[in-house]
Amino acid sequence: MDNEWNEMKATNETKERSVTGTITKVERQKRSKDRYNLYIDEQFACSIHEDILIKYRLVKGVEVSRNEMNEIAQAEDKQRAYLDAVRLLASRLRSEQELTFRLKQKGYDGRLITDTLERLKREKYIDDRLFAEQLAKQRIGSQKKGRNWVKQELKQKGVKPEQINQAIEQIDEDTEYSSALELALKKYRTEAAADVLKAKRKAIAFLQRRGYSSGVISKVMKQIGSAGDWEEEELAESDFDD
């Protein structure tokens, strides 16, 4: 019985492989110049990317089997996932976890996402170590956030602890201090005329919310004025700290 079943299965697979059609037309899409419509036996079969068309040498007159069409469809799915990922990265750098989440949102399955990420890593499109360093530099320099903010954000984006630590080590302490001082002075000066002590406390709270450490805050406030007017616990680490 088993032998009969195996023979029947093998026969069906052979028939499936032998079922062929002939490409009768290859038409470039008007709106997407890198995509083509494929016609088999005068009937529309599928839309494929130019890279897949070239890879499988799909030109008019070529015969294709059902198995070959299945292989082409899988290759097209991989190419589509890859191009979607590249477009996401073109808008801004993303961590591996962020990219995985966005590709899931687009409906790609786990295996296809894994293959896509591996290709992107090989081509140096994604690198969480470099991503962490660049994000830290931007947050500290351009957005005037503190290192505690950077740590928390990188954790949320799925970056590994050792990569976060490496990124934090690259932060320029002078830049971080200068940004914190600029922010604190601006905050302090808007309140100091009415209540100096209240102004100092508001400046401290503001810097804590921005993710600056107690060490940076203390240094900044000493620059602004005497640090002896408030309780030591007011310089405790904010919620961004470990």
Side-chain angles (χ1 to χ4, degrees):
M1 187 69 178
D2 288 342
N3 288 337
E4 291 179 2
W5 168 253
N6 289 333
E7 289 176 5
M8 185 181 299
K9 183 179 178 182
T11 300
N12 288 336
E13 289 177 348
T14 300
K15 286 181 179 179
E16 185 175 275
R17 285 194 297 270
S18 65
V19 173
T20 61
T22 302
I23 298 175
T24 51
K25 185 179 181 181
V26 179
E27 178 184 60
R28 174 176 279 183
Q29 294 183 357
K30 293 181 179 180
R31 293 185 178 181
S32 301
K33 299 300 183 181
D34 58 354
R35 298 197 63 80
Y36 290 77
N37 295 327
L38 199 68
Y39 292 80
I40 295 178
D41 296 335
E42 306 297 341
Q43 299 294 319
F44 174 76
C46 60
S47 166
I48 58 174
H49 190 273
E50 184 177 36
D51 291 348
I52 305 302
L53 189 79
I54 295 171
K55 179 180 178 180
Y56 289 91
R57 299 177 182 177
L58 302 174
V59 296
K60 184 176 179 180
V62 169
E63 289 189 344
V64 290
S65 69
R66 185 176 300 175
N67 276 6
E68 287 170 335
M69 286 304 298
N70 287 338
E71 184 180 341
I72 290 167
Q74 290 175 7
E76 171 64 21
D77 285 343
K78 287 184 178 181
Q79 182 71 3
R80 190 184 297 273
Y82 172 78
L83 292 176
D84 276 344
V86 170
R87 279 190 285 268
L88 286 168
L89 291 169
S91 62
R92 68 170 178 84
L93 287 176
R94 299 171 193 268
S95 68
E96 186 174 334
Q97 178 176 285
E98 285 183 291
L99 202 54
T100 297
F101 177 74
R102 288 302 305 275
L103 290 175
K104 283 182 179 178
Q105 283 185 320
K106 288 180 175 292
Y108 295 110
D109 62 39
R111 183 64 212 171
L112 191 53
I113 292 173
T114 298
D115 290 344
T116 301
L117 293 177
E118 288 302 317
R119 179 179 175 182
L120 291 169
K121 287 177 184 177
R122 290 195 303 270
E123 296 177 356
K124 307 299 181 183
Y125 276 107
I126 54 173
D127 182 339
D128 275 2
R129 180 192 59 79
L130 181 60
F131 167 78
E133 291 179 3
Q134 292 184 345
L135 183 140
K137 184 177 181 180
Q138 185 207 35
R139 296 295 187 262
I140 297 294
S142 303
Q143 298 186 5
K144 294 181 170 55
K145 301 288 178 64
R147 64 184 60 212
N148 290 334
W149 180 292
V150 173
K151 285 181 184 178
Q152 185 66 16
E153 186 173 359
L154 289 174
K155 284 181 183 178
Q156 292 172 349
K157 293 180 182 299
V159 179
K160 295 177 181 178
E162 59 270 23
Q163 293 170 329
I164 293 176
N165 291 336
Q166 289 174 4
I168 297 301
E169 289 173 0
Q170 299 300 316
I171 291 175
D172 183 81
E173 294 182 1
D174 290 338
T175 299
E176 184 182 20
Y177 169 73
S178 296
S179 296
L181 180 60
E182 180 184 339
L183 291 172
L185 281 171
K186 185 176 180 180
K187 192 73 175 177
Y188 174 77
R189 286 166 178 165
T190 60
E191 303 281 348
D195 188 329
V196 172
L197 183 57
K198 184 178 180 181
K200 289 175 179 177
R201 286 173 173 165
K202 282 194 172 183
I204 292 169
F206 181 69
L207 292 180
Q208 287 177 330
R209 291 195 299 273
R210 301 285 293 188
Y212 289 100
S213 67
S214 61
V216 171
I217 295 173
S218 179
K219 185 179 178 182
V220 165
M221 298 313 296
K222 285 177 182 178
Q223 179 69 23
I224 292 175
S226 172
D229 293 333
W230 52 85
E231 296 297 327
E232 184 178 349
E233 57 265 23
E234 290 187 80
L235 289 176
E237 295 295 318
S238 70
D239 292 339
F240 288 103
D241 283 331
D242 294 332

